[in-house]
Amino acid sequence: MKQKFYNLQITTNGQKLYEFTDQTIKWISKYNFKNGLLNLSVQHTSASLIIQENADPDVQIDLINYFDKLFPMDNKSYIHTIEGKDDMPAHIKSALTNNQISLSVKDSKLLLGTWQGIYLFEHRLEVQKRTIIHHFIGE
Amino acid sequence: MKQKFYNLQITTNGQKLYEFTDQTIKWISKYNFKNGLLNLSVQHTSASLIIQENADPDVQIDLINYFDKLFPMDNKSYIHTIEGKDDMPAHIKSALTNNQISLSVKDSKLLLGTWQGIYLFEHRLEVQKRTIIHHFIGE
Amino acid sequence: MKQKFYNLQITTNGQKLYEFTDQTIKWISKYNFKNGLLNLSVQHTSASLIIQENADPDVQIDLINYFDKLFPMDNKSYIHTIEGKDDMPAHIKSALTNNQISLSVKDSKLLLGTWQGIYLFEHRLEVQKRTIIHHFIGE
């Protein structure tokens, strides 16, 4: 059994989807992983990991806009406001999406659909440094 | 260490929950998996994988209706409309649910609660062919 | 390869986040797990597993309140009402969050961010007994 860890750092600058599919594939290829599970986890509770379409960029714009509509910043009922108006909605968005994704690797290939990309979904407004742990277990 | 892969194909016909618990259990039994992780991933971004109650079918009807209410098709603010009115809500529903689930197998038994079933949750209106990758790692 | 299972039981008393990070860490330490995956799954469809901030308790209050606002109990359109007004919203909340989380263990340490805690998110009003399966696979 082979196990390996890697911390991918992404500096974000506002509410957007940051694709890192290529960095993940490069890492798999570098260590010549054949078959196994790749566990990705983001070490924060105001950003998410999601698999989304990487074909039409409008999908991401609509997604971000609709998230802001569903989980608005200007909600007077929030008690937790000390870290900024974007922080509480960020925690709600995080709870409703994922901090963690497990992907399968088969014959040295990351099993994603044709239009699927892996994204860090940033929910904060200011510049943030985010860590995404990569953990491979397999052979 | 034992690893095995299997692509389950499901043809969907509209927004519904399609249970595949039995197919998954049959596959585990066929290869005599004892203990390990079963990683399921759907290779699309407009359908989800969910664990839900398989007792009262009304739960699924309410779930689908409430999803349509929260993420409506007739939303004039969507930019991405080229693939039909159901496509952008489908991406939003996908982002807010799961593309991937890891389940545990112990003593040849898939560990699900008494009322839990595994479902493909289809978010598109037209007929679709969906692939759900099954990946077992264990012994 | 090492595998181990453990059923953590939590008795809940209403809609709240119940942290169990310490119990999980103690279990990892007890069996001296070094590197591997820890798969957590809740065996119910009206409670969730989430990773959230364990610093400011107001975050959890806002989260619960906002969930109740988004997925209200007094919704006349629900058909499934036989198990109480809180049951159908609980299923919807469960579908939109997670039943299952996989965490990485490295050098005997559970890889969580500084402010991250693991919680059972109870969506029912009455007292419930909940089971969270812990499954370690690694070395």
Side-chain angles (χ1 to χ4, degrees):
Chain A
M1 194 174 55
K2 206 172 177 175
Q3 291 199 66
K4 201 91 193 172
F5 295 86
Y6 160 58
N7 284 3
L8 175 67
Q9 312 280 348
I10 297 181
T11 301
T12 62
N13 190 3
Q15 300 188 303
K16 243 178 284 181
L17 276 77
Y18 299 83
E19 188 167 8
F20 59 93
T21 321
D22 286 352
Q23 286 100 307
T24 299
I25 289 173
K26 262 177 213 161
W27 183 66
I28 291 168
S29 163
K30 185 179 171 185
Y31 289 98
N32 204 20
F33 301 136
K34 299 275 185 254
N35 295 295
L37 270 179
L38 175 68
N39 194 44
L40 303 175
S41 53
V42 67
Q43 302 289 289
H44 315 276
T45 59
S46 52
S48 315
L49 293 182
I50 63 165
I51 306 281
Q52 261 297 327
E53 174 172 317
N54 60 5
D56 180 0
D58 286 343
V59 169
Q60 297 173 28
I61 298 169
D62 283 345
L63 188 68
I64 293 160
N65 287 343
Y66 202 72
F67 264 62
D68 270 341
K69 202 187 143 188
L70 268 183
F71 320 109
M73 291 190 193
D74 54 344
N75 182 337
K76 287 192 178 60
S77 69
Y78 298 140
I79 308 167
H80 174 80
T81 53
I82 200 165
E83 293 177 59
K85 64 172 183 174
D86 57 328
D87 194 57
M88 196 53 227
H91 286 299
I92 296 170
K93 290 168 185 175
S94 163
L96 282 161
T97 51
N98 289 302
N99 300 74
Q100 173 275 323
I101 298 174
S102 287
L103 297 169
S104 295
V105 176
K106 187 191 175 192
D107 301 329
S108 309
K109 208 176 154 286
L110 184 64
L111 297 183
L112 286 174
T114 316
W115 309 110
Q116 287 184 324
I118 323 169
Y119 295 87
L120 174 72
F121 192 175
E122 177 59 68
H123 306 308
R124 301 298 310 267
L125 295 171
E126 309 274 310
V127 171
Q128 305 283 339
K129 289 195 179 182
R130 303 302 197 176
T131 302
I132 300 154
I133 293 179
H134 285 54
H135 171 201
F136 178 85
I137 177 167
E139 50 204 0
Chain B
M1 194 174 54
K2 206 171 176 175
Q3 292 199 64
K4 201 90 191 171
F5 295 86
Y6 159 58
N7 284 3
L8 174 67
Q9 311 281 348
I10 296 181
T11 300
T12 62
N13 189 5
Q15 300 188 303
K16 245 177 285 180
L17 275 77
Y18 298 82
E19 188 167 9
F20 59 94
T21 320
D22 287 350
Q23 286 101 308
T24 299
I25 288 173
K26 262 178 214 162
W27 184 66
I28 291 169
S29 164
K30 184 179 172 184
Y31 288 99
N32 203 20
F33 300 136
K34 299 275 186 255
N35 295 294
L37 270 178
L38 175 67
N39 193 44
L40 303 175
S41 53
V42 66
Q43 301 289 290
H44 315 276
T45 58
S46 52
S48 314
L49 293 181
I50 64 166
I51 306 281
Q52 261 299 327
E53 174 172 317
N54 59 6
D56 180 0
D58 285 344
V59 169
Q60 298 173 27
I61 297 169
D62 282 347
L63 188 68
I64 294 160
N65 287 343
Y66 202 71
F67 263 62
D68 270 340
K69 201 187 146 190
L70 266 183
F71 319 109
M73 290 190 194
D74 54 344
N75 183 335
K76 287 193 178 57
S77 70
Y78 298 141
I79 307 167
H80 174 79
T81 53
I82 199 164
E83 293 178 60
K85 64 173 184 175
D86 57 329
D87 194 57
M88 197 52 228
H91 287 298
I92 295 169
K93 290 168 184 174
S94 163
L96 282 161
T97 51
N98 288 303
N99 302 74
Q100 175 274 323
I101 298 173
S102 286
L103 297 168
S104 294
V105 176
K106 186 190 176 193
D107 300 330
S108 309
K109 208 176 153 289
L110 185 64
L111 298 182
L112 286 174
T114 315
W115 309 110
Q116 288 184 325
I118 324 169
Y119 295 88
L120 174 72
F121 192 175
E122 177 59 68
H123 306 307
R124 300 299 308 269
L125 295 171
E126 309 274 311
V127 171
Q128 304 283 339
K129 288 195 179 183
R130 304 302 198 176
T131 301
I132 300 155
I133 293 178
H134 284 55
H135 171 200
F136 178 85
I137 177 168
E139 51 205 358
Chain C
M1 194 174 57
K2 206 172 178 175
Q3 292 198 66
K4 202 90 190 169
F5 296 86
Y6 160 57
N7 284 3
L8 175 67
Q9 311 281 347
I10 297 181
T11 300
T12 62
N13 189 4
Q15 300 187 302
K16 245 177 283 179
L17 276 77
Y18 298 83
E19 188 166 8
F20 59 95
T21 321
D22 287 350
Q23 287 101 306
T24 299
I25 289 172
K26 262 178 214 161
W27 184 68
I28 291 169
S29 164
K30 184 179 173 186
Y31 288 98
N32 203 20
F33 301 136
K34 298 275 185 256
N35 295 294
L37 271 179
L38 175 66
N39 194 44
L40 303 174
S41 53
V42 68
Q43 302 288 290
H44 316 275
T45 58
S46 52
S48 315
L49 294 181
I50 64 164
I51 306 280
Q52 260 298 326
E53 174 171 318
N54 59 5
D56 180 0
D58 286 343
V59 169
Q60 297 172 29
I61 297 169
D62 283 346
L63 188 68
I64 293 160
N65 288 342
Y66 202 72
F67 264 62
D68 270 339
K69 201 186 145 191
L70 267 183
F71 319 110
M73 290 189 195
D74 54 345
N75 183 336
K76 288 191 180 58
S77 70
Y78 298 141
I79 307 167
H80 174 81
T81 54
I82 199 164
E83 294 178 59
K85 64 172 183 175
D86 56 328
D87 193 57
M88 196 53 228
H91 287 298
I92 296 169
K93 291 168 184 174
S94 162
L96 282 162
T97 50
N98 288 303
N99 301 73
Q100 173 276 322
I101 299 174
S102 287
L103 297 169
S104 295
V105 176
K106 186 190 174 189
D107 300 330
S108 309
K109 209 177 154 284
L110 184 64
L111 297 182
L112 286 174
T114 316
W115 309 111
Q116 288 184 326
I118 324 172
Y119 296 88
L120 174 71
F121 192 175
E122 177 58 69
H123 305 308
R124 299 299 309 268
L125 295 171
E126 308 275 310
V127 170
Q128 305 282 340
K129 290 196 178 180
R130 302 304 198 174
T131 302
I132 301 154
I133 293 179
H134 285 54
H135 171 203
F136 178 84
I137 177 168
E139 51 203 0

